[in-house]
Amino acid sequence: MKSVPYYTAFAAIAAGVLATTTPGGFSTRCSGLVQSFHPDQQTTVLVAEFLAKGSNFTDPISHPSCVGGFTGGSILADVCRLRLNVSTSSTSSVIIEAWMPANWQQKGRRFAMTGNGGLAGCIPFDDLNFISSLGFATAGHNNGHDGDTGVPFFNRPEVVKDFAYRALLTATKVGKKAVKQLYSQNLKKSYFLGCSSGGRQGLKAAQDFPEEYDGIIAGAAGNNWNNLMSSFSYYWKFVANGNNPPILSAEQWVEWRDEAIRQCDQIDGVRDLVIEDPRKCNLRPESRLCAPGKSWASNKCFTSAQVTFLRNLYEPFYGNNGTFLFPGFGPGDETITSLWFAPTAPQYTVDWYRYALLNDETWTVEANFDLDAVDNANRIDPYNISTYKDLSKLKASGHKLLTYHGLADGLLSYEGSDRYYESIVRRMGLPSTQLDSFYRYFPIAGMGHCATGNGAWYIGAANQYSGAPATTTETEGGVLMSMVKWVEQGIPPERITGRGFTADGKLASTKDHCKWPLQNKYLGGNPNRRSSWGCS
Ligand SMILES: *[C@@H]1O[C@H](CO)[C@@H](O)[C@H](O)[C@H]1NC(C)=O
Ligand SMILES: *[C@@H]1O[C@H](CO)[C@@H](O)[C@H](O)[C@H]1NC(C)=O
Ligand SMILES: *[C@@H]1O[C@H](CO)[C@@H](O)[C@H](O)[C@H]1NC(C)=O
Ligand SMILES: *[C@@H]1O[C@H](CO)[C@@H](O)[C@H](O)[C@H]1NC(C)=O
C-alpha cells in the first residue's frame, strides 16, 4: 500500500461529503440507502447496514452448496453493506452485495468487482471482506442463481445468459452507481478480480466489455468453457474407464503424485516439492510398471492398465477428426483426486449438459456422453460462454489484463492459460513485447487451483484470503496491488511476489514469479528467499 497515493487532503476539502468521513455520519448515510438508492426500475434494496470493524458477520446462505462462503471470521474494516436484487429479464434476476468502506475517499476511490466459482451461484464474501479492508469499494453477486449447481438453468435461457456474462455486467454497473450514491463522488479507477469461473468472467469482460474495468485480473480461467465441462467426463469415462472398477486407489494416486514430484522436481535445481516448469518434464509412468510376478502389495508398482491410464491422463483431449479440445494434466497437477475416483460422473458435466445445453433431465454421462455430444455442445455454445475471442476490444480500450495460473492446478491445467496466451499472440499478430502493454501472464509455480500448494502461492488474489495467514498485512507485489500500480502509476508488473506457508501457517518462503514467457530460475542460495531466484 505504501506506493499508493492518498487523497486525505482532497477528502477534507470536499465539504459536501464530510458526513461520510465521520463514523456516525457514514453509518446513517449507509442505512439511508434503503430510501435513497433507486438507480432504476429493476433494482430493489434488500439490506443496507453498517458493519463495524471487528464485528461478526453471518453469511446469509442462499443455498446449501454455498456453505462456508464466509470463513474470514470478523469484519476487517468499517463498511457499508448493501444487498440488492436486480431483475435482468422477466424470468431472471441477480443478487448483489456491495461492501463499501468508510475510508474509501482516503484510499484512492477505487472500485473492484469480484467473480464467482464453479457453476457459480455463491457470493464471495471472503473476497468482499478482504478487498474492502484495502480501501476499495467492492461488489459480488450470485451470477443469476443460487448455489454451485446447474439446476436453475433448466428451461431458463435467461438464467444461462446471466451466468455467461450479464450478471457480471449488471452487477458492475449497479455497484458503481451504489458507490456514487453513498459517497457522492465519482470513483477513480475500476478493477475486476476473479479465479476459476471468475477467471473466465474476467476474460469475458476483457473480450466483450473492457470499458468497465481499468484493470482486469483473471486467474486459472475456465475459458474454453464447453470443452472444460466435457473434459471432466472425457477423463472420467474414457481415460479412467468410468471408474469401474476403480483404476487406482486413493493410496496409489498419492504414490503417483509423489512419483511425479520425484521425476520432475529436481529439473529446476532445487528439491522443494515445487516443479518450477512442468513443461520441461517428460513424466514417465512406465518407470513404475510391475515386473512379472510383482504387485502393488509386494512392490508398490502399477499394472499395465494403470500405467496406460496415467499415460493417457497427460494427453490432450481430442475430438472428432482429431480436433484439439482441451489440454490433459501437467506434471505436478496431481493435487485433486476426487474426479478420477468418484463412483459417479462429474457433476459439472452432468449439470451443464442437462440443464444449460440440452434441457433434458434424462441425459447421463454413462449413456449419452461421447465426441458427438461434445461437438454439439460447441455448436450450441450458449451466449458465447466459450470465452475464446481475441483481445482487440481490450487493446483499443487502453485497459489492462493480468492473467495467472497455478502450475499445480489439479482441476484445470495451466496449459489452458498458456494456450490462450499463445493464441492471442497468433491471432492478433503481436509478439509478447507488444502484448506487454495491455496483457501479461504469470504462471505461478507451486500453486494449486486458485489457492494453496507447496510453493509461494499467496499472491493477494481472489479466493485466497481465507487460507492465507498473511492476508491482512502483505499485499504489495501481489496481483491486485501490482495491477493498481500498473493502472494508476503506469508501472507494469515484471514479476508477481508470492508467499508460501508452513502447515501451521508461518511464512516459509517468498518468491517472485516471472512473466511469461520468462521462467523462474534458481540462482543459488536459500531457495526460500526471493533473492535466490531470477527470471530467464
Ligand atoms: C464473534 O464470534 C466469536 C465466535 O463465534 C465469538 O467468540 C465472539 O464473542 C463474537 N464477537 C462479537 C463481537 O459478537
Ligand atoms: C428478486 O426479484 C425477482 C423479480 O424480479 C423475484 O422473482 C425474486 O424472488 C427476488 N429475489 C429476492 C431474494 O428478493
Ligand atoms: C468431422 O468430419 C466429418 C466428415 O468429414 C464432418 O461431417 C464433421 O463435421 C467433422 N467434425 C468436426 C468437429 O470437424
Ligand atoms: C457470439 O459472438 C458472435 C461473434 O462475435 C456474435 O456474432 C454473436 O451474436 C454472439 N452470440 C450471442 C448469443 O451473444
Side-chain angles (χ1 to χ4, degrees):
M1 291 298 295
K2 286 187 205 76
S3 58
V4 168
Y6 286 10
Y7 297 92
T8 320
F10 183 86
I13 55 169
V17 298
L18 260 186
T20 66
T21 63
T22 62
F26 183 72
S27 162
T28 307
R29 205 175 160 98
C30 175
S31 48
L33 288 175
V34 174
Q35 278 83 40
S36 66
F37 188 53
H38 294 296
D40 49 49
Q41 294 286 314
Q42 286 73 41
T43 303
T44 313
V45 177
L46 301 176
V47 177
E49 64 173 0
F50 175 73
L51 300 176
K53 179 176 176 175
S55 63
N56 285 345
F57 173 72
T58 308
D59 180 351
I61 292 164
S62 45
H63 191 274
S65 61
C66 293
V67 169
F70 185 72
T71 58
S74 61
I75 297 297
L76 295 170
D78 285 349
V79 294
C80 174
R81 170 184 174 235
L82 184 64
R83 188 174 175 90
L84 306 168
N85 183 4
V86 182
S87 86
T88 50
S89 77
S90 60
T91 54
S92 59
S93 56
V94 55
I95 302 295
I96 299 168
E97 291 253 348
W99 286 33
M100 301 173 282
N103 64 357
W104 181 79
Q105 274 110 337
Q106 296 94 310
K107 289 288 191 175
R109 287 161 45 197
R110 302 183 182 118
F111 175 72
M113 193 67 210
T114 61
N116 299 88
L119 286 174
C122 303
I123 293 171
F125 286 102
D126 282 330
D127 286 352
L128 298 183
N129 193 25
F130 185 73
I131 297 167
S132 56
S133 81
L134 298 176
F136 293 70
T138 181
H141 58 100
N142 73 344
N143 218 17
H145 69 271
D146 285 335
D148 187 15
T149 152
V151 177
F153 298 141
F154 188 53
N155 285 323
R156 292 165 78 204
E158 295 291 347
V159 178
V160 180
K161 187 171 181 175
D162 279 347
F163 179 75
Y165 73 92
R166 189 176 51 190
L168 170 62
L169 187 55
T170 303
T172 300
K173 288 180 185 291
V174 176
K176 287 178 179 178
K177 286 178 186 165
V179 168
K180 185 163 188 188
Q181 179 68 37
L182 177 66
Y183 302 107
S184 299
Q185 273 190 310
N186 288 324
L187 59 89
K188 285 199 168 166
K189 295 292 174 191
S190 164
Y191 299 88
F192 172 88
L193 63 162
C195 195
S196 194
S197 271
R200 186 197 65 77
Q201 291 169 319
L203 285 188
K204 183 54 107 182
Q207 292 167 14
D208 289 349
F209 42 96
E211 64 281 358
E212 291 292 336
Y213 316 95
D214 297 278
I216 295 170
I217 301 163
N223 61 333
N224 195 357
W225 176 264
N226 298 294
N227 289 335
L228 169 63
M229 292 297 106
S230 298
S231 71
F232 299 138
S233 282
Y234 170 77
Y235 289 98
W236 182 82
K237 182 171 178 176
F238 297 113
V239 179
N241 195 29
N243 200 40
N244 187 20
I247 190 87
L248 290 179
S249 66
E251 191 192 3
Q252 287 171 322
W253 178 252
V254 168
E255 178 61 26
W256 170 246
R257 183 194 67 195
D258 294 348
E259 173 66 23
I261 294 282
R262 258 193 297 279
Q263 290 191 24
C264 306
D265 185 5
Q266 187 78 53
I267 294 172
D268 51 45
V270 189
R271 227 174 233 302
D272 56 358
L273 304 180
V274 176
I275 303 170
E276 295 302 327
D277 189 1
R279 307 163 193 92
K280 290 195 178 120
C281 186
N282 228 323
L283 191 54
R284 188 168 178 264
E286 291 80 1
S287 70
R288 295 292 295 267
L289 178 74
C290 292
K294 309 290 189 197
S295 68
W296 170 258
S298 69
N299 288 74
K300 289 211 175 311
C301 56
F302 297 120
T303 66
S304 183
Q306 290 171 330
V307 168
T308 303
F309 159 74
L310 291 170
R311 168 60 66 185
N312 290 338
L313 195 54
Y314 297 84
E315 294 295 324
F317 165 29
Y318 291 108
N320 283 323
N321 309 346
T323 326
F324 172 87
L325 296 173
F326 210 78
F329 266 45
D333 284 352
E334 305 79 5
T335 44
I336 294 176
T337 59
S338 53
L339 283 183
W340 320 123
F341 308 110
T344 53
Q347 197 59 39
Y348 284 164
T349 316
V350 176
D351 280 13
W352 188 246
Y353 275 80
R354 273 189 189 171
Y355 307 118
L357 292 173
L358 305 172
N359 295 311
D360 175 0
E361 287 180 295
T362 67
W363 189 93
T364 64
V365 168
E366 291 83 344
N368 307 111
F369 179 78
D370 59 16
L371 297 183
D372 290 339
V374 172
D375 281 351
N376 193 35
N378 281 314
R379 209 159 29 238
I380 299 170
D381 188 20
Y383 305 101
N384 289 322
I385 195 163
S386 52
T387 315
Y388 222 81
K389 286 188 201 158
D390 78 14
L391 297 172
S392 37
K393 273 195 175 178
L394 175 74
K395 179 169 183 278
S397 73
H399 292 173
K400 318 290 185 204
L401 171 65
L402 186 161
T403 64
Y404 62 90
H405 206 130
L407 293 177
D409 186 331
L411 196 63
L412 45 152
S413 165
Y414 63 86
E415 215 189 310
S417 288
D418 287 10
R419 282 179 168 268
Y420 181 73
Y421 181 93
E422 303 301 11
S423 83
I424 294 299
V425 171
R426 295 191 305 273
R427 284 191 279 178
M428 297 186 72
L430 295 173
S432 292
T433 47
Q434 310 260 305
L435 282 187
D436 271 359
S437 66
F438 63 94
Y439 172 27
R440 292 177 177 229
Y441 167 42
F442 295 87
I444 309 294
M447 178 168 98
H449 186 58
C450 298
T452 74
N454 291 326
W457 62 269
Y458 178 72
I459 55 168
N463 305 51
Q464 293 199 328
Y465 308 127
S466 59
T471 50
T472 53
T473 50
E474 308 206 58
T475 53
E476 210 169 338
V479 286
L480 178 55
M481 297 321 289
S482 293
M483 178 56 93
V484 166
K485 221 169 164 176
W486 192 7
V487 165
E488 298 182 18
Q489 298 173 35
I491 303 170
E494 299 301 332
R495 301 169 186 201
I496 292 297
T497 307
R499 294 173 177 79
F501 307 98
T502 59
D504 59 350
K506 298 212 166 52
L507 186 68
S509 63
T510 55
K511 188 185 282 172
D512 287 341
H513 299 281
C514 305
K515 171 172 61 83
W516 181 261
L518 298 180
Q519 285 161 1
N520 299 359
K521 185 174 163 54
Y522 179 58
L523 304 173
N526 180 345
N528 292 327
R529 294 222 180 105
R530 270 171 91 178
S531 55
S532 304
W533 296 85
C535 299
S536 66

